[in-house]
Amino acid sequence: ALRIEAGQRVGVGVADAGGHHLDENLAGDFADLKGRGGPGSEHEFFAERLEWDRHLARAGWTCIGWPVEYGGRGATLEQRIIFHREYARANAPARVNHLGEELLGPTLIAYGTDEQKRRFLPGIVDVTELWSQGYSEPGAGSDLANVATTAELVGDEWVINGAKSFITNSGTDITSLVTVTARTGTTAEGRAQISAIIVPSGTPGFTVGRSLKKMGWRASDTAELFFDDVRVPAANLVGEEGKGLDQVTEQLPQGRLGVAVAAMAIAEGVLAETTEFVSSRNVFGERVLDFQNTQFELAELTAQLEASQAYVAHCVELFNRGQLDLIAASKIKLQATGTVKDLVDRCLQLHGGF
């Protein structure tokens, strides 16, 4: 059984049923990774960050929300939120396995066959394999209803043709699979039928293009993918044919809510660090905290953060009632990430030029 309680703030501060805190297992292992992977070095230190993820796996802290039978710990949404908040507040490294853990694995658990789960899920849990999602395209972007990639069933194989772009974790040495969204037919109303199909790395005709540089999330590998008469078994279809878009729509709200939760955790940590800094920094014979402008800024930022936290809590309640749809999840992700961006920018100004 998993026991996670708020307020356990020793290091990362999350404990399991045996009383083992995350920091007791892992403290100090990520110290050298802080500040790494920034502009100019966005694809460096991958091996170190991968080993950190594997260290988490060995300690039992990957995929904690998955059912126990698939290698998880059956954590509730609230328990997972506490874990991710504490993880972010500890300024621990960005995860390289987040996509498989938070989106692709749960999608397979919900819609995949028993054989697919047996074959593919263990590698996500122990981080021996990385999985990427082949959704976005050069022309359609993330408009999955209008993807141009096609998949035709020929005998007992899918033949896939097309291209994807901005695909996370697709160019690493241990990327083993990509879940591709492709047109597999047309409905009676003339709309495209979108299906999800698993394509293993190294399949003939499947090539990984250039690695893309981004303005943000630089520690995450992102690349282009190309499919030229790629053939995979018909059994690699995830769920029902033509239901790929429905699968994404049903799974994305949870992922977007998770981004909002992480944004709040980052904002909490930044505001706390900034408050501590201005309390100890002296200029012109006074603490920075004692300047009226500093107090105005901290008061306004605190109010904005608390309002956003209340909004996130409301969306968590909606999710638990099965009422958090894709639009509502998109709104909270937009609002929460906007809040943390503004807060970080303004806290940076309070640090001055020192």
Side-chain angles (χ1 to χ4, degrees), residues 56 61 72 100 111 116 119 144 156 162-163 188 216 298-299 305 309 335 338:
L56 284 176
W61 291 105
Y111 310 107
Q116 289 172 342
R119 163 62 184 88
L144 301 185
D156 59 354
L298 291 179
L305 176 57
Q309 288 171 327
Q335 198 278 338

Side-chain angles (χ1 to χ4, degrees), residues 134-141 147-150 160-167 180-181 207 223-228:
Y135 293 176
S136 301
E137 293 191 358
V147 296
T149 298
T150 62
I160 304 172
N161 286 280
K164 301 289 181 176
S165 190
F166 310 114
I167 308 304
V180 177
T181 50
T207 57
E224 300 170 317
L225 305 180
F226 301 96
F227 305 88
D228 184 13

